Amino acid sequence: MTDVTILWTAVYIAMLAAFTGYVVISRVPAILHTPLMSGSNFIHGIVLVGAMVALGLATTPLEQGIGFVAVILGAANVTGGYIVTERILQMFDRSGKKPGKEV
Amino acid sequence: MADLSWLIEPVYIVTIFFFIIGMQRMSHPLTARSGIVWAGAAMLIATLVTFFTPHLTNLALIAIAIVIGGGFGYIAAKRVAMTNMPQMIALYNGMGGGAAAGISAVALLGTTTATTGSLAVVGGLIGAVSFTGSIVAFLKLQGWMRPRPITFPGQHIINILVLALAVVSGVLVIAQPSWIPLSVTMYLPLFFVLSLGFGLLMTLPIGGADMPVVISMYNAFTGLAVALDGFSFATPNYAMVVAGIIVGAAGSLLTLNMARAMNRSLSNVFFGAFGATEEKGVMIQGSMKSIEADDVAVLLAYADKVIIAPGYGMAVAQAQQKVKELTDLLGSRNIQVKFAIHPVAGRMPGHMNVLLAEAGVAYDHLFDRDEINPEFPSTDVVLVIGANDVVNPAAHRQGSPLFGMPILDVEQAKNVIVLKRGQGRGFAGIENDLFYRDNTRMLYGDAQESVGKLVQAIKKL
């Protein structure tokens, strides 16, 4: 793809994705702000796949080192983001059984 | 191994679809819990299919790094107490930003075109700022760093200078003009050091009270950085681009909503150094009057209507279980108990709701600021548990740094009991007029202990 094509594709995608993000958030009650912030924090953990490709295609030791750290950080973003969101949302479970105290 | 790389794009499309479904479900209380499961499943398949990327090497290194990072994230998130969730969001958000900066760095060390290089530079700058900024937010909320704004003369000028230098070195990374006899290996470290430095400098002057807004904004930053980095590969990674922009847009809107709830503009948050300055020339009349738990118990036991206004102090003291006990006890005596939840009580919107839900307080007892404010004049006792700035009537006085912030008008109730550890100030670092009012009494001590004493005392009545 040429640079210009990439740029225009980027603009199209950005517009549609930004609209999606806006619509999803705009009708949210205040009590769900924290879980949603945490949830979107998890979703940008998709950076992990980019870090994997960066490390997987790295050739020099410097690139490998940076890629390695990037994958560690990305993976922590994914698992940490998931668990935090899960734990916060557990509080919203009204099915009767109390969430256990995790230590 | 068979070539399965054709699977990548379809799986990424499914991933994005699931992410959107997941966020959609997370935005309704009833479906919220399943939302994260959808998003989690999507992340899992996206990660697995990425191993099929053509020419991928260093597979062992990738696996090791995933185990280290994933293991840390999992264990730390499982162990941390519910009260510390806000700073954990900040921490993991910073790590995402760091990963994005790392991807940019690797991309810029390799070959890039003017377009992909520029996108990688912008992504790297935003990712690096989000990384150090979030870490500072984490340290401040965790209490490993003074939460008060850190200011020094010429701060704004230095910050802008650092940002400008970062941008200049970023341009040099892409342009690599031949008339400067330095290679990219010189500009690149300089660029990242300046970007990381700017994130640090930009967050230092922001006080603890504004941290939720800041974390939310860095969350949007990381999303944007991830989106831009999606273009730094030979074939653009559209899963990163779309997911990143969705987070960027959703995060920006969330940030504005939060700032609006505090009646603070974003420029105020970032350049105001909230709480660093004192309001001059205002003398507060009266004195703080303390009260014993037994006397509060009597007030409560013979009240018709009680409103509880919780704040961060309740979270710190882990008092929510005791508060729930007190609520049940008063309820059994046919006393009406309601909770007044300020949108920014605690350290994040919804922080109080989450804690009270954890303790088993029913949702229909929780009321928004706008819903509950008309009820204070007809209320016998208001219990302010560890809240400060959100009940400070100084917000109604022109000239106060808090002026204009919508607050809980607890001072209109017949009796106001403030549960507080000591005579300190709130996050905003502003003296609270409420504590000096005639109808206000201070019940000093740890909130959990104090509420426990109240429960015991009421039982005896």
Side-chain angles (χ1 to χ4, degrees):
Chain A
M1 262 200 289
T2 65
D3 269 12
V4 176
T5 331
I6 289 181
L7 215 54
W8 282 115
T9 317
V11 174
Y12 277 115
I13 292 176
M15 186 186 71
L16 292 172
F19 185 70
T20 309
Y22 180 87
V23 168
V24 167
I25 286 282
S26 57
R27 290 169 294 150
V28 173
I31 57 160
L32 283 173
H33 278 172
T34 302
L36 250 172
M37 192 204 298
S38 182
S40 57
N41 179 34
F42 167 71
I43 283 172
H44 69 51
I46 192 74
V47 72
L48 172 63
V49 305
M52 287 168 66
V53 175
L55 173 55
L57 303 180
T59 44
T60 66
L62 177 64
E63 288 175 9
Q64 284 179 345
I66 297 173
F68 188 71
V69 174
V71 174
I72 290 179
L73 293 174
N77 184 179
V78 168
T79 57
Y82 185 88
I83 301 293
V84 168
T85 312
E86 222 262 327
R87 284 185 61 190
I88 293 177
L89 287 174
Q90 212 170 23
M91 307 300 147
F92 289 79
D93 196 1
R94 304 308 296 157
S95 63
K97 56 175 192 281
K98 283 276 293 290
K101 279 248 173 201
E102 288 149 345
V103 180
Chain B
M1 197 164 64
D3 181 20
L4 291 172
S5 58
W6 57 271
L7 263 174
I8 295 175
E9 290 300 335
V11 167
Y12 279 180
I13 289 175
V14 173
T15 302
I16 291 300
F17 181 67
F18 276 30
F19 276 168
I20 295 172
I21 300 268
M23 283 194 70
Q24 183 76 25
R25 296 185 78 83
M26 270 190 265
S27 57
H28 298 283
L30 288 176
T31 54
R33 283 200 72 185
S34 65
I36 186 65
V37 179
W38 281 80
M43 192 69 79
L44 188 66
I45 56 169
T47 309
L48 291 177
V49 82
T50 303
F51 278 105
F52 298 136
T53 305
H55 317 299
L56 207 67
T57 56
N58 304 327
L59 290 176
L61 276 180
I62 294 177
I64 294 169
I66 290 179
V67 170
I68 296 175
F72 166 79
Y74 183 88
I75 293 167
K78 276 280 185 195
R79 288 208 170 151
V80 71
M82 277 310 290
T83 39
N84 293 338
M85 285 298 164
Q87 52 264 50
M88 292 315 279
I89 298 177
L91 180 67
Y92 294 126
N93 177 55
M95 290 179 138
I103 295 171
S104 286
V106 174
L108 292 168
L109 283 170
T111 43
T112 50
T113 66
T115 310
T116 60
S118 310
L119 293 171
V121 163
V122 181
L125 172 67
I126 298 175
V129 168
S130 174
F131 178 61
T132 44
S134 300
I135 300 292
V136 172
F138 166 77
L139 293 175
K140 285 192 171 198
L141 288 181
Q142 186 73 17
W144 292 350
M145 196 180 207
R146 267 163 35 99
R148 285 289 187 80
I150 297 169
T151 51
F152 49 85
Q155 190 163 29
H156 295 324
I157 293 164
I158 292 173
N159 289 4
I160 288 166
L161 206 66
V162 170
L163 177 64
L165 286 174
V167 171
V168 168
S169 54
V171 171
L172 289 177
V173 169
I174 309 160
Q176 293 177 36
S178 51
W179 48 269
I180 301 179
L182 290 171
S183 69
V184 66
T185 48
M186 292 290 293
Y187 306 132
L188 203 58
L190 185 70
F191 167 67
F192 276 106
V193 167
L194 287 166
S195 303
L196 292 167
F198 179 67
L200 182 83
L201 289 169
M202 179 172 155
T203 321
L204 283 179
I206 303 171
D210 284 329
M211 274 310 153
V213 181
V214 173
I215 296 173
S216 175
M217 200 201 61
Y218 286 139
N219 189 34
F221 271 26
T222 304
L224 270 183
V226 171
L228 290 163
D229 275 342
F231 288 106
S232 68
F233 303 100
T235 33
N237 185 324
Y238 287 113
M240 286 171 72
V241 173
V242 178
I245 291 180
I246 290 176
V247 172
S252 307
L253 187 61
L254 203 54
T255 311
L256 291 173
N257 283 347
M258 287 159 93
R260 200 175 304 139
M262 297 163 77
N263 198 35
R264 310 261 293 129
S265 72
L266 279 185
S267 67
N268 238 327
V269 169
F270 285 97
F271 307 113
F274 200 38
T277 49
E278 289 285 328
E279 191 185 3
K280 302 243 160 40
V282 174
M283 287 296 291
I284 297 172
Q285 304 293 321
S287 60
M288 290 201 207
K289 295 162 282 286
S290 67
I291 190 169
E292 292 303 317
D294 288 342
D295 300 326
V296 179
V298 174
L299 274 178
L300 288 172
Y302 297 103
D304 291 321
K305 186 171 170 190
V306 173
I307 294 180
I308 299 176
Y312 188 67
M314 184 186 80
V316 178
Q318 293 278 341
Q320 60 269 27
Q321 291 289 345
K322 288 282 172 206
V323 170
K324 153 85 173 145
E325 244 180 84
L326 179 69
T327 313
D328 292 345
L329 185 62
L330 292 174
S332 71
R333 299 177 76 114
N334 288 323
I335 300 164
Q336 196 187 3
V337 183
K338 290 182 174 181
F339 284 85
I341 310 291
H342 191 280
V344 294
R347 281 178 176 176
M348 284 205 177
H351 196 183
M352 292 299 119
N353 306 65
V354 167
L355 289 176
L356 291 169
E358 180 194 29
V361 175
Y363 277 134
D364 46 3
H365 285 74
L366 311 185
F367 294 90
D368 249 350
R369 177 190 61 217
D370 297 339
E371 285 173 318
I372 200 94
N373 262 348
E375 299 202 27
F376 284 111
S378 63
T379 302
D380 299 302
V381 184
V382 172
L383 280 182
V384 177
I385 305 180
N388 194 339
D389 300 326
V390 295
V391 295
N392 192 343
H396 294 312
R397 191 178 63 225
Q398 237 165 15
S400 162
L402 283 173
F403 178 68
M405 174 168 145
I407 58 160
L408 295 170
D409 295 318
V410 297
E411 79 275 11
Q412 295 171 357
K414 294 188 186 90
N415 297 285
V416 180
I417 309 294
V418 179
L419 278 70
K420 220 169 162 311
R421 259 187 307 191
Q423 304 198 337
R425 296 172 185 184
F427 259 149
I430 294 160
E431 200 69 67
N432 195 334
D433 301 14
L434 177 72
F435 303 162
Y436 298 88
R437 300 273 164 125
D438 287 337
N439 56 342
T440 303
R441 295 290 179 275
M442 311 295 293
L443 180 56
Y444 292 116
D446 174 82
Q448 193 180 344
E449 269 172 40
S450 295
V451 178
K453 279 187 206 160
L454 290 179
V455 170
Q456 294 307 321
I458 294 172
K459 277 183 182 161
K460 279 187 232 148
L461 287 171

